[in-house]
Amino acid sequence: MQLVQQQAQIIKSLKAARKAVLVVHVQPDADALGSMGAMAGLLRHWNIPHSLYCKDVPVHARHLGFLVDLQTVTADLDDALRGADTVVVMDCSDIRIAGLGDIVTGK
């Protein structure tokens, strides 16, 4: 039952967002870009403004563009975070790999 409650809390938090930023790890693979594309689709369905961030915009992954519109992924973190109150990091076990370590640690 605890998992169901956690899922419900995540959904509640996402639906309450004024703007969400979706973040994936550097050099994203199909798992990361697929997660980003799926979550972006869900946020669009819920009419929640969002931006997509990857520290190194995945030019090497053009062949994975069917998973997410790579033209909409930015490497400009300040721009991605502007107006955001929610950040979702996906497919990443260490926030430093997502390029957010400096923000979290304050360095």
Side-chain angles (χ1 to χ4, degrees):
M1 191 61 151
Q2 185 177 0
L3 179 60
V4 172
Q5 292 169 336
Q6 290 171 338
Q7 291 170 337
Q9 183 59 45
I10 290 168
I11 291 169
K12 181 179 176 181
S13 295
L14 285 173
K15 286 185 171 184
R18 289 189 309 273
K19 178 187 174 190
V21 180
L22 306 182
V23 180
V24 294
H25 58 77
V26 297
Q27 298 182 353
D29 53 13
D31 289 351
L33 295 175
S35 297
M36 179 180 268
M39 184 62 73
L42 181 61
L43 294 177
R44 271 192 305 277
H45 176 75
W46 288 339
N47 295 312
I48 297 169
H50 58 279
S51 58
L52 310 178
Y53 171 78
C54 181
K55 186 172 183 175
D56 60 344
V57 176
V59 294
H60 69 281
R62 292 186 198 277
H63 65 288
L64 299 174
F66 67 96
L67 296 170
V68 65
D69 181 1
L70 297 175
Q71 300 287 335
T72 64
V73 180
T74 184
D76 184 338
L77 184 57
D78 290 334
D79 185 49
L81 291 173
R82 192 167 294 111
D85 61 349
T86 303
V87 176
V88 180
V89 180
M90 295 170 288
D91 192 48
C92 189
S93 62
D94 187 331
I95 201 157
R96 292 172 295 186
I97 297 170
L100 300 178
D102 291 348
I103 291 174
V104 174
T105 61
K107 296 179 182 176

